[in-house]
Amino acid sequence: MSEELSEANKRTTTDGNMMPGNAHFISLNVRGIREILKRSKIFMWLNRQKCDIAFLQETFLSQNIENIVSNEWKGFCMYDHGTNHSKGVAILVRKDFPITIIDKYFKGDGRSVALRFSFNDHVYLGLNVYAPANNT
């Protein structure tokens, strides 16, 4: 990456240092993406928004269609599956977004996934949590 970055392509970190590059994250409760037409519309919308990493809740996905969804997204995907009618979270990374994945975590209850990655020489933790409305 060139050291001569324009001011428009820099952002300030919390410690005041300038960090090159931009990243666009979106968190979205999709209320199910098992159906191909709805999933296609959501994926097209994410692409139109120039989303680099999407954090999706209530995916209602199960392991048996994980490969189909991953092939349709065409980038990196990680899931914590719920059932066909509840829960499920996912993190989707755009295929040409220049990150290095360091570690991944999911609990297996359909409520949380985490992705530790490096981007522009900084390490980040992306956490996607779908919290229950009650203690069940």
Side-chain angles (χ1 to χ4, degrees):
M1 183 175 267
S2 171
E3 294 297 319
E4 298 173 331
L5 295 170
S6 69
E7 287 301 312
N9 196 28
K10 292 183 179 181
R11 65 178 178 204
T12 306
T13 63
T14 55
D15 60 4
N17 293 324
M18 295 303 287
M19 187 173 95
N22 292 307
H24 186 193
F25 303 147
I26 293 177
S27 178
L28 186 64
N29 185 321
V30 294
R31 292 186 177 176
I33 56 170
R34 293 185 62 79
E35 200 273 321
I36 189 168
L37 182 59
K38 181 177 182 181
R39 189 169 59 243
S40 176
K41 287 180 179 182
I42 289 171
F43 286 1
M44 284 190 300
W45 182 82
L46 289 169
N47 284 317
R48 279 195 311 270
Q49 302 305 309
K50 297 181 173 43
C51 178
D52 296 312
I53 300 180
F55 299 88
L56 307 180
Q57 302 86 38
E58 285 193 283
T59 58
F60 303 167
L61 294 176
S62 54
Q63 194 167 4
N64 62 330
I65 66 168
E66 179 178 308
N67 289 339
I68 295 168
V69 174
S70 295
N71 287 335
E72 290 171 2
W73 177 250
K74 297 182 178 87
F76 174 80
C77 303
M78 72 174 294
Y79 311 92
D80 191 4
H81 298 295
T83 70
N84 293 353
H85 303 288
S86 69
K87 301 190 244 179
V89 291
I91 298 176
L92 310 178
V93 181
R94 182 174 47 87
K95 71 177 175 180
D96 56 349
F97 186 55
I99 67 169
T100 301
I101 296 168
I102 299 168
D103 199 8
K104 0 180 218 193
Y105 168 83
F106 68 97
K107 188 173 180 182
D109 63 355
R111 298 205 179 269
S112 60
V113 287
L115 181 66
R116 192 160 42 114
F117 62 94
S118 64
F119 173 66
N120 287 340
D121 299 321
H122 289 77
V123 175
Y124 299 91
L125 175 65
L127 179 62
N128 191 8
V129 176
Y130 177 62
N134 54 33
N135 285 338
T136 60

